[in-house]
Amino acid sequence: MEQSSRIKPPMGPDNGWWWQEVANDVLPIQRCKNCQVLRHPPRPMCDQCRSMEWDFVRAGGGGAVFSYTVLEHPQFPGYSYPIIIVLVDLEEGTRITAELVDCDPGEVEFGMAVTVRIQEDSDGFKLPVFYPVIAQEGE
Amino acid sequence: MPISMKNEAAIAGIGQTTYSKNSGVSELALACEAVSRCIDDAGISPSEVDGLVSYTLESSDEIEVAQNVGLGDLTMYSQVNYGGGAAVGLIQQAVMAVATGAANNVVVWRAMNGRSGRRMGQGASGVMMSSDLIHWSWYQVYGMLTPVSWVTLIANKYMHHYGVTAEHLAEVAIAQREYALNNPAAFGYGKPLSLDEYMNARMVSAPLRLYDCCQETDGGCALLITSTERARDMRQSPAVIRAVSQASTRGQEQMTSFYRDDMLSLPEMELAARRVYDMSGLGPDDIDAACLYDAFTTEVVMQLESFGFCQPGEAKDFVADGNLRLDGRLPNNTHGGLLSEAYIHGINNIAEGVRLVRGQSFNQPAKAEHVLVSSGVGVPTGALILGRD
């Protein structure tokens, strides 16, 4: 029962491609081929024009913290606590949910500039995490 | 002409089991006990029940409950999705059935071993495939496995923008705990909660602390919905359903509606508010008491704005001024709520709404002509207005 690594996403046609790009060290943002609108999380249909044709752009990785929380309890196997969870507004548009690393939980702030890094777990699984652009001095 | 749901039906029976942390019995046993007590409360025979509605999360099938309780012929049964977001949706299903004649006497219920059995937010791993599992996977992969981990991203944004502090949230938790002190069925019965205890409790998902979070409970609760006319001949005075609606809106996700332009309000709850005020012809000034869904303290604060009791950003002051107390503007969750009575996915909040309208609450306000009840927050939801006949 004990699980020593994070819960992996099921890889379906609507999301597996995204994780495959991440495994190639890319942060992808899905783009409607018809109207060019970006969307995240990935979905099969564009809610603006109902096109099911899409490709993706490579995010530059920069963004700003829109909201955050620090997970302390309960603690599940496979994760290291505390975990800072951030919603990041990406520079290209769209918002993504991810972990903030290299930051003291007391120093995360709304609007903080962050950038992405593709992190590799010990079991080889890769996922995007963000870190502060400038090391925050304690106030 | 569409069939009206206004005033057509009433809640005529409520039944509940003991609420505990370890029931020692099956969820089916809890369901049967709650349903049976509900039928007795209404004073009808089990054979008169011909409709059943529960939650998609329910583990007991309608026909199992029917066999055990000795129900008669069933002509309508359904389940509603989205956890606590289903709550008043069950009532809507029942009212539609009664108004159309699909069924005459509908029992709705939720029964769960929510503490000793499967607890909410334990994650699901990856062999099966569905849009729902893919949805959760975006969050589980980062360790967001619990409802509080999802809710707090919205709560923290709202708190930061409007200057909501831990003291404001503490007032929600403590006001409801003080109600629970008078409710023998409540977890919080005989267990006062001080501001110091609230503040010193462990941080769960910052900035939300332990007492910002609801209970985990083993228990069941059931309600009987029938026509207002039939309800008048039953044992209890009817809690007339003035209005009820489910509500889901653009950008809606289950707990993770993080991708809307701003996260300072609850658009689905605003839709629910418009729907029930329009249907009932009532407005916020007509609502005497409420059972606003309270899985987390911040949800109560935000809903005060959704339902028009305060302007955006002013709910914190409304709370701080004691308005959720018995002598305040809007006594809220007078049984203790999900925070301090029990977490039965909100159906126990509807039961308290019924008690308030009947005048049977353990904390009965001076006036409870109209009571507002809401479903789960941050999920497809709904609202219900109950009125005295």
Side-chain angles (χ1 to χ4, degrees), chain B residues 89-104:
Chain B
L90 276 67
I91 306 295
Q92 187 185 33
Q93 291 284 302
V95 174
M96 289 192 293
V98 167
T100 58
N104 292 319

Side-chain angles (χ1 to χ4, degrees), chain A:
Chain A
M1 286 297 283
E2 183 86 348
Q3 165 198 326
S4 57
S5 64
R6 68 182 73 246
I7 297 176
K8 305 298 191 297
M11 298 292 178
D14 296 333
N15 73 331
W17 67 271
W18 192 90
W19 289 104
Q20 190 54 52
E21 291 304 321
V22 171
N24 296 332
D25 298 312
V26 170
L27 175 60
I29 308 176
Q30 193 179 28
R31 177 175 62 183
C32 175
K33 267 189 172 178
N34 182 50
C35 71
Q36 306 294 305
V37 170
L38 300 177
R39 63 184 193 258
H40 184 82
R43 291 194 167 85
M45 182 178 280
C46 174
D47 73 346
Q48 303 294 308
C49 73
R50 286 181 281 165
S51 169
M52 297 182 82
E53 299 292 316
W54 53 265
D55 57 9
F56 67 90
V57 298
R58 293 173 170 231
V65 172
F66 179 75
S67 189
Y68 67 92
T69 182
V70 183
L71 308 185
E72 300 191 19
H73 290 282
Q75 302 196 347
F76 295 90
Y79 302 91
S80 307
Y81 294 83
I83 302 170
I84 307 173
I85 299 291
V86 284
L87 299 181
V88 176
D89 280 341
L90 296 174
E91 283 166 1
E92 293 83 356
T94 72
R95 191 174 291 155
I96 184 171
T97 309
E99 182 173 354
L100 182 70
V101 299
D102 300 345
C103 182
D104 185 284
E107 294 183 354
V108 54
E109 289 178 6
F110 290 91
M112 184 179 197
V114 295
T115 194
V116 79
R117 175 165 82 215
I118 305 299
Q119 172 184 295
E120 183 168 356
D121 287 350
S122 57
D123 64 359
F125 181 76
K126 289 186 179 179
L127 81 172
V129 297
F130 287 80
Y131 60 95
V133 170
I134 304 161
Q136 302 285 301
E137 297 296 324
E139 286 184 328

Side-chain angles (χ1 to χ4, degrees), chain B residues 37-352:
Chain B
R37 288 183 180 181
C38 167
I39 292 168
D40 286 346
D41 183 58
I44 63 170
S45 152
S47 63
E48 294 178 72
V49 173
D50 53 4
L52 289 173
V53 186
S54 64
Y55 293 59
T56 54
L57 288 180
E58 183 68 26
S59 69
S60 303
D61 284 342
E62 300 90 346
I63 53 175
E64 292 289 340
V65 171
Q67 287 247 17
N68 279 275
V69 185
L71 305 185
D73 297 338
L74 300 178
T75 57
M76 181 270 179
Y77 28 88
S78 71
Q79 293 191 324
V80 184
N81 201 355
Y82 308 117
V88 310
L90 276 67
I91 306 295
Q92 187 185 33
Q93 291 284 302
V95 174
M96 289 192 293
V98 167
T100 58
N104 292 319
N105 300 307
V106 182
V107 170
V108 307
W109 87 92
R110 175 77 176 116
M112 58 204 273
N113 282 323
R115 181 62 184 85
S116 69
R118 184 175 179 273
R119 299 168 72 183
M120 301 305 296
Q122 298 290 293
S125 66
V127 189
M128 291 189 297
M129 179 73 65
S130 70
S131 63
D132 191 49
L133 287 174
I134 289 173
H135 162 72
W136 296 117
S137 73
W138 297 107
Y139 310 98
Q140 291 177 354
V141 74
Y142 290 105
M144 300 170 71
L145 303 178
T146 56
V148 69
S149 70
W150 310 315
V151 147
T152 309
L153 285 167
I154 295 173
N156 199 22
K157 184 74 180 178
Y158 172 87
M159 290 174 70
H160 175 74
H161 188 84
Y162 288 124
V164 179
T165 65
E167 283 78 6
H168 295 120
L169 304 185
E171 168 59 14
V172 175
I174 292 169
Q176 290 192 199
R177 179 57 63 92
E178 292 189 2
Y179 288 131
L181 294 177
N182 299 326
N183 173 7
F187 169 81
Y189 182 63
K191 300 189 190 81
L193 174 66
S194 70
L195 182 59
D196 273 357
E197 283 172 278
Y198 170 91
M199 288 293 182
N200 293 324
R202 67 174 176 268
M203 202 60 96
V204 176
S205 181
L208 298 191
R209 294 170 165 80
L210 180 66
Y211 292 110
D212 292 310
C213 306
C214 66
Q215 296 299 310
E216 294 175 290
T217 306
D218 286 11
C221 182
L223 309 164
L224 177 93
I225 293 89
T226 189
S227 72
T228 304
E229 203 177 310
R230 280 190 297 274
R232 290 183 182 125
D233 296 329
M234 292 185 187
R235 180 171 292 157
Q236 303 280 357
S237 66
V240 178
I241 295 157
R242 303 286 180 208
V244 62
S245 184
Q246 292 184 291
S248 172
T249 188
R250 210 166 169 90
Q252 183 78 63
E253 302 205 352
Q254 270 207 76
M255 303 300 295
T256 59
S257 301
F258 300 151
Y259 310 99
R260 292 165 168 161
D261 289 344
D262 77 50
M263 296 197 306
L264 302 176
S265 62
L266 302 167
E268 54 281 349
M269 208 59 90
E270 291 169 3
L271 172 61
R274 286 196 301 277
R275 291 278 297 174
V276 292
Y277 288 149
D278 283 352
M279 190 183 296
S280 64
L282 302 168
D285 290 347
D286 300 308
I287 303 299
D288 304 308
C291 294
L292 300 175
Y293 197 90
D294 58 320
F296 304 98
T297 52
T298 48
E299 297 180 340
V300 172
V301 178
M302 293 181 77
Q303 285 178 89
L304 292 168
E305 297 171 12
S306 314
F307 285 103
F309 298 107
C310 321
Q311 293 300 307
E314 293 180 356
K316 67 179 196 299
D317 303 316
F318 183 92
V319 169
D321 289 344
N323 281 308
L324 305 181
R325 304 279 183 156
L326 201 56
D327 56 355
R329 163 65 190 88
L330 190 75
N332 183 52
N333 288 323
T334 43
H335 54 322
L338 311 179
L339 292 168
S340 276
E341 185 195 56
Y343 184 68
I344 315 290
H345 271 133
I347 194 166
N348 54 317
N349 285 8
I350 306 176
E352 177 66 4

